Amino acid sequence: MQQTLEDFFKVVRSAGVNVSIADSIETCKTVELVGYSDRGILKDALALSLAKTQDEKEKLYECFDQFFSFDAFQKTALIDDEKASAEKPSTESQPVEEKMTAEQAMAEYSGDLELAKMLLRKDKAELAQSMKKAAREVGITDIWLFTQKGINTQKIMNEMGLRELNQEIALLGRGDCPAERALAGALRTAQKYLFQEVRNFVEQQLAMFGKTASQKIHEDFLKSSRLSNIEKHDFQVMIKIVRKMAKRLSSIHSKKRKRKDRGKLDFRKTLRSNVAYDGVMFNIFWKSKVVDKPRILALCDISPSVSSYSRFLLLFLYSLSDVLDRIDTSVFTNSLIDVNDIFEEYPVQKAVDKIVNELGMGGSDYGNTLLDLKNDYMDKIDNKTTVIILGDARNNNLAPQTEVMKLLYQRAKRVIWLTPEMESFWGTGDSEMLKYKPYCSIVKECNTINHLEQMVDTILKVSAQAA
Amino acid sequence: MKDLYEDTFQSVEDIQQQFELHNYICSRQIATCTYIAYNLQKPVMVEGPAGVGKTELAKTTAEILGVPLVRLQCYEGLDESKALYEWKYGKQLLYTQLLKDKLSEVLDGATGLRESMAKLESHDDLFFSEGFLEPRPLYQALREEHGCVLLIDEIDKSDHEFEAFLLEILSEFQVSIPELGTLGAKIKPLVFLTSNNTREMSDALKRRCLHLHIDFPDEKLERRIINKRVPKLSETLRGEVVSFVQQVRELDIKKAPSISETIDWAKTLLLLHTEHLENQVVKETLNVILKFEEDIDAVNEQLTQFIKKAQLKKR
């Protein structure tokens, strides 16, 4: 049973529930205590010790039902005698003996091949057991791609004794005795059913064990592919990835808010609270320093060529709201539009969609945008603000207004420019990137979700160090 | 007084029966959880909306086992000195003052600083002994002679630091006090942690616990609970009350009424000698089960319909 439990852990893991070694040891103890006799109690016990959230519990229940279902060989008419023979058209010129019953067949069969006996006896339970044993031998739990279906089916069949069965059938079929020939026919039919069953079983196993593996491959692919190339139907997956990354980042950075119990002694506070003890310092207070959360002003180009990058940057930033003090967002194509109200009104995802779809049209004009920034936003920017500009700096040969960039650089804490273009393209054609570059703290190529994550990580890190 | 683990729970059914005797109707899942926790001596993390009986579970368990319940209410800023132990500073100061005169006796005949120090050091560290220790709930729970049920209530309200601090206690059932050394539990307490999910608990803490989620009960279970808790309520009214509350829970409201609120409402109706749910009575007592003005308005809109349905159902 130990093996079964381990297999079950594997299934649960592949469903996305984290099961550590320690968890599995504890769970084994639990199962030992409650026993296997009551399915309901076993299910509850596993859920109690393996799943750590309500969500995980539901996944686990699903896995439990799937894993501990014993329906192999139950559905098919492996050997529903009447039906099987009724389906056989008489034109196949099979002898009448074909219709012999299980007992007859058993009596006729004089060989000692276990598989053949089982098939003739039509013993579903035993067949299922033998199949599961064979599956374990060949390591079915390691299956994780659909291409492995065929080979695994074959391996299980071989393990169960397919080769010997074939020899037996050939041997029986060669003889002259009609009873033996009928036996061979019966075995051949049974073998086909067996194949179907095993294949079904392998498919089920793939569905259980291969789920995360293929998901993970897909996610890895998405993380490293250019944001502009991501298909619309993958957006949901991307949003999940972004959330996951954001959660990770915020848990890393959220703990550094305060430095306590070290550094300088807060003398005044200490004296005040120890007056009661005659000035003997029992309670000591340290000067604590609150680490500033970064304040961010994001300027996103939403002209069609870069809108998909802006979409994910915004999604990322707004998922990080608990580690950021304040996010101001403006978008532009040829002039700057404040979109904070849209973010306040709608949930992030919807807001981003709305912005990109409704406001993003026309060619970009960075010069004009920077002028807008100068006129309307400069007073919002101080030495705590990190300005993030996302765009390709392709200005359609209009005036670049670099002096505004200079002013911005002087005022803000940091100016970060993210461009989807590779460095070798900067400054080619109508790109003004090289002119803006001197007035940015960081200019970075940023075109995959991995880049985005690194960049946000840097912003948070620098602000923690600066304090 | 018997020990905590002396008289074991025999089986899951046994627990269900014993709890019922103590007026706590529990689902099989809750019973299984208690059974495992008791036999493997593992802490239980209980999650679920407010008022579904999380705290009550710990109380009842303590009652059945006949051991004291030690309760630690968590809040923001809770730290070691409030949860584990604190030195009795006042007493220490007072004693030093009082014993000042005795100092010369102790130092009798010592000449020079070095000799005096040596003499002082040869005495025990009296001021940092258990006599000067102010035990707080966690310390109390560990030192309880016959074991106890330890309830750490609303753990989600505490800080990250406190959560990390709990890890040692929950896995080893011991605490380190620098002046005294490491103290282990006399008998491992049965620990219940409750959480309203206002924040996600760390994986390390979750790993050490069994995770139990208690949700609102279904209609049948709730009727049984009301029957136990408010036995004087007539059967018809009980059916109506439960059915009505169940319908309210399905609405999209700020705070859905929980079991404790259903019980309160049943008691209120009993007090008012109500026999059947009627518009007027329900309207007047709706504030017992609903705690927000908006929620009351939302339910008022469908009041007649709900009552009608409730009356139909009980038949």
Side-chain angles (χ1 to χ4, degrees):
Chain A
M1 264 342 240
Q2 179 67 24
Q3 184 66 42
T4 314
L5 264 186
E6 273 166 32
D7 286 348
F8 180 65
F9 295 153
K10 235 178 190 178
V11 173
V12 176
R13 264 184 213 132
S14 81
V17 179
N18 274 331
V19 179
S20 65
I21 302 282
D23 280 341
S24 52
I25 295 173
E26 291 292 326
T27 309
C28 288
K29 279 190 206 154
T30 313
V31 171
E32 207 174 291
L33 176 73
V34 298
Y36 290 93
S37 51
D38 188 323
R39 189 182 167 98
I41 291 179
L42 177 65
K43 191 170 165 182
D44 281 343
L46 286 171
L48 285 165
S49 51
L50 282 178
K52 307 292 177 203
T53 62
Q54 190 55 15
D55 192 33
E56 288 187 349
K57 269 200 177 130
E58 265 150 37
K59 280 185 194 157
L60 190 121
Y61 284 144
E62 203 177 296
C63 289
F64 184 90
D65 290 337
Q66 214 173 12
F67 185 81
F68 289 105
S69 69
F70 299 99
D71 61 349
F73 292 98
Q74 300 301 322
K75 283 184 209 144
T76 43
L78 165 55
I79 333 243
D80 208 358
D81 293 292
E82 282 76 71
K83 218 165 130 202
S85 45
E87 276 166 8
K88 285 256 162 344
S90 50
T91 44
E92 246 181 67
S93 75
Q94 298 267 4
V96 198
E97 283 91 331
E98 164 83 28
K99 281 182 187 167
M100 60 185 152
T101 61
E103 290 79 31
Q104 277 176 328
M106 222 18 238
E108 284 292 334
Y109 182 64
S110 54
D112 53 356
L113 186 63
E114 205 45 51
L115 179 63
K117 278 187 201 163
M118 270 190 266
L119 285 173
L120 288 174
R121 235 183 291 136
K122 298 159 192 191
D123 190 335
K124 292 175 184 178
E126 225 173 298
L127 277 170
Q129 211 172 6
S130 143
M131 177 174 73
K132 288 205 167 148
K133 204 172 139 216
R136 191 166 292 161
E137 288 298 321
V138 304
I140 187 74
T141 54
D142 292 329
I143 189 170
W144 55 294
L145 280 178
F146 73 95
T147 47
Q148 292 169 308
K149 257 188 328 200
I151 180 103
N152 271 300
T153 313
Q154 197 61 35
K155 271 188 190 163
I156 294 176
M157 293 282 281
N158 284 344
E159 188 67 33
M160 286 175 80
L162 178 70
R163 220 165 276 151
E164 291 79 0
L165 182 68
N166 276 336
Q167 278 168 8
E168 197 77 12
I169 292 174
L171 206 70
L172 285 171
R174 224 181 291 144
D176 288 332
C177 169
E180 277 187 1
R181 292 247 296 270
L183 213 52
L187 277 175
R188 215 168 281 138
T189 331
Q191 186 196 7
K192 274 184 205 148
Y193 283 118
L194 180 67
F195 176 74
Q196 263 177 22
E197 262 321 312
V198 174
R199 195 165 172 90
N200 273 348
F201 174 73
V202 171
E203 271 167 12
Q204 272 175 18
Q205 301 295 306
L206 176 67
M208 282 198 286
F209 291 104
K211 219 183 289 169
T212 26
S214 45
Q215 257 171 28
K216 198 168 173 306
I217 293 174
H218 189 55
E219 276 185 20
D220 283 346
F221 166 75
L222 285 179
K223 274 186 200 172
S224 57
S225 53
R226 287 180 78 94
L227 292 173
S228 55
N229 294 345
I230 284 169
E231 306 278 344
K232 210 155 199 163
H233 59 255
D234 279 331
F235 274 9
Q236 285 306 322
V237 187
M238 282 302 276
I239 288 164
K240 257 191 217 154
I241 297 176
V242 168
R243 291 255 158 82
K244 230 192 259 171
M245 284 176 164
K247 202 179 159 203
R248 202 176 66 82
L249 281 178
S250 64
S251 72
I252 292 174
H253 293 284
S254 66
K255 281 174 190 160
K256 294 183 198 154
R257 285 284 81 83
K258 242 186 193 175
R259 279 190 208 156
K260 240 178 98 187
D261 292 350
R262 55 190 153 130
K264 273 188 185 161
L265 184 72
D266 190 339
F267 208 69
R268 270 210 260 177
K269 212 172 170 187
T270 308
L271 273 188
R272 205 179 304 135
S273 86
N274 285 301
V275 169
Y277 309 125
D278 222 2
V280 182
M281 286 187 236
F282 280 117
N283 298 333
I284 292 175
F285 290 90
W286 304 94
K287 278 190 174 151
S288 65
K289 203 180 233 172
V290 178
V291 178
D292 279 333
K293 292 179 179 180
R295 194 177 302 163
I296 287 182
L297 172 65
L299 306 174
C300 295
D301 187 350
I302 49 165
S303 62
S305 55
V306 262
S307 67
S308 50
Y309 300 96
S310 299
R311 171 193 293 271
F312 286 107
L313 175 71
L314 289 176
L315 211 59
F316 216 120
L317 288 180
Y318 278 88
S319 312
L320 278 168
S321 53
D322 37 332
V323 276
L324 298 174
D325 182 34
R326 195 193 149 78
I327 313 170
D328 281 308
T329 310
S330 294
V331 295
F332 62 90
T333 47
N334 44 29
S335 63
L336 210 52
I337 308 165
D338 189 333
V339 291
N340 283 327
D341 48 337
I342 302 188
F343 277 105
E344 264 157 38
E345 199 173 331
Y346 298 97
V348 182
Q349 218 177 303
K350 216 172 170 189
V352 173
D353 273 343
K354 210 171 154 66
I355 291 165
V356 173
N357 294 336
E358 286 178 14
L359 306 172
M361 48 197 76
S364 26
D365 180 349
Y366 284 79
N368 194 29
T369 305
L370 285 172
L371 285 180
D372 278 351
L373 180 76
K374 186 180 167 192
N375 295 334
D376 303 335
Y377 283 84
M378 268 312 173
D379 50 340
K380 272 192 190 172
I381 297 168
D382 57 21
N383 59 2
K384 281 182 183 154
T385 321
T386 301
V387 180
I388 303 178
I389 305 175
L390 191 139
D392 53 8
R394 296 210 169 266
N395 204 17
N396 300 321
N397 297 320
L398 297 160
Q401 308 285 0
T402 36
E403 71 283 352
V404 185
M405 273 307 284
K406 189 175 174 188
L407 191 66
L408 183 68
Y409 182 61
Q410 284 162 351
R411 270 190 87 103
K413 183 175 175 186
R414 262 171 321 146
V415 180
I416 298 173
W417 193 300
L418 304 174
T419 164
E421 289 187 347
M422 288 201 306
E423 195 164 353
S424 51
F425 286 102
W426 297 354
T428 59
D430 58 351
S431 169
E432 307 286 359
M433 199 65 248
L434 293 179
K435 283 188 192 154
Y436 290 139
K437 197 181 166 202
Y439 305 114
C440 297
S441 327
I442 305 173
V443 182
K444 241 184 153 177
E445 171 196 348
C446 184
N447 48 33
T448 70
I449 205 90
N450 274 336
H451 285 161
L452 266 182
E453 189 191 15
Q454 282 165 15
M455 190 276 307
V456 175
D457 192 34
T458 335
I459 296 177
L460 292 169
K461 236 182 237 159
V462 171
S463 71
Q465 278 162 4
Chain B
M1 204 174 172
K2 59 184 181 184
D3 282 351
L4 173 58
Y5 296 105
E6 205 169 89
D7 189 21
T8 43
F9 284 134
Q10 293 305 324
S11 65
V12 176
E13 290 79 24
D14 179 36
I15 290 182
Q16 270 180 316
Q17 282 162 10
Q18 291 207 41
F19 270 71
E20 193 163 343
L21 286 179
H22 283 80
N23 291 338
Y24 187 95
I25 307 285
C26 62
S27 64
R28 193 193 59 212
Q29 203 183 16
I30 298 176
T32 311
C33 183
T34 318
Y35 179 66
I36 298 170
Y38 182 80
N39 283 295
L40 296 181
Q41 308 180 356
K42 274 191 81 143
V44 184
M45 163 97 76
V46 196
E47 281 183 352
V52 290
K54 299 189 293 291
T55 311
E56 205 60 30
L57 174 64
K59 280 189 191 164
T60 314
T61 311
E63 215 173 280
I64 291 174
L65 294 169
V67 290
L69 175 82
V70 178
R71 182 171 177 167
L72 173 68
Q73 177 71 44
C74 294
Y75 51 86
E76 221 178 295
L78 177 71
D79 59 1
E80 261 178 78
S81 65
K82 302 263 172 48
L84 185 58
Y85 74 95
E86 196 168 23
W87 292 110
K88 294 178 179 167
Y89 297 123
K91 194 175 168 188
Q92 283 172 333
L93 271 175
L94 202 65
Y95 275 46
T96 46
Q97 293 297 322
L98 284 174
L99 298 176
K100 235 180 205 168
D101 306 336
K102 295 277 172 217
L103 207 60
S104 55
E105 280 174 34
V106 173
L107 296 179
D108 188 32
T111 50
L113 208 56
R114 190 181 298 265
E115 207 175 319
S116 313
M117 281 291 254
K119 257 209 157 146
L120 266 183
E121 268 165 19
S122 70
H123 288 267
D124 283 342
D125 223 348
L126 285 175
F127 284 101
F128 288 98
S129 59
E130 290 209 37
F132 288 96
L133 200 73
E134 178 80 65
R136 302 285 189 199
L138 290 179
Y139 183 84
Q140 222 179 319
L142 292 182
R143 308 305 285 172
E144 199 68 57
E145 208 62 51
H146 301 282
C148 68
V149 173
L150 171 63
L151 169 64
I152 303 178
D153 221 353
E154 311 200 345
I155 175 77
D156 50 333
K157 303 258 163 58
S158 68
D159 310 320
H160 284 285
E161 292 86 357
F162 183 72
E163 205 185 314
F165 159 76
L166 267 185
L167 295 180
E168 187 190 2
I169 294 186
L170 291 184
S171 55
E172 308 295 329
F173 290 101
Q174 64 177 35
V175 288
S176 312
I177 299 176
E179 295 87 348
L180 298 179
T182 307
L183 295 175
K186 290 197 168 145
I187 289 178
K188 283 187 189 176
L190 189 58
V191 186
F192 288 90
L193 301 111
T194 74
S195 155
N196 285 332
N197 255 338
T198 50
R199 93 182 152 83
E200 188 88 354
M201 309 311 297
S202 75
D203 284 348
L205 185 69
K206 280 183 168 174
R207 220 215 74 216
R208 283 164 173 80
C209 305
L210 296 170
H211 182 271
L212 175 67
H213 185 94
I214 306 184
D215 218 333
F216 295 126
D218 59 19
E219 202 162 337
K220 212 170 126 200
L221 193 64
E222 193 164 17
R223 263 208 298 264
R224 279 178 64 201
I225 295 171
I226 301 292
N227 187 24
K228 272 281 162 198
R229 287 297 166 114
V230 197
K232 283 183 193 156
L233 199 73
S234 73
E235 201 184 324
T236 35
L237 188 55
R238 190 197 316 148
E240 286 175 15
V241 166
V242 171
S243 163
F244 186 89
V245 173
Q246 292 271 347
Q247 289 177 65
V248 172
R249 268 184 211 140
E250 275 168 27
L251 288 181
D252 182 23
I253 51 178
K254 270 190 175 169
K255 185 186 175 312
S258 57
I259 308 174
S260 61
E261 272 127 15
T262 319
I263 294 174
D264 286 346
W265 198 37
K267 282 180 184 163
T268 315
L269 292 175
L270 190 65
L271 192 72
L272 296 173
H273 300 295
T274 318
E275 275 167 19
H276 286 287
L277 286 189
E278 277 155 27
N279 269 11
Q280 193 56 29
V281 183
V282 174
K283 229 177 225 173
E284 279 162 10
T285 54
L286 213 49
N287 54 356
V288 179
I289 52 169
L290 294 169
K291 309 293 174 184
F292 288 95
E293 195 58 46
E294 296 97 309
D295 291 356
I296 295 181
D297 289 344
V299 173
N300 262 333
E301 273 171 28
Q302 306 186 44
L303 199 66
T304 324
Q305 196 187 333
F306 279 2
I307 294 175
K308 219 174 247 169
K309 241 188 197 169
Q311 281 168 345
L312 269 179
K313 223 174 203 177
K314 55 114 230 244
R315 258 167 233 153

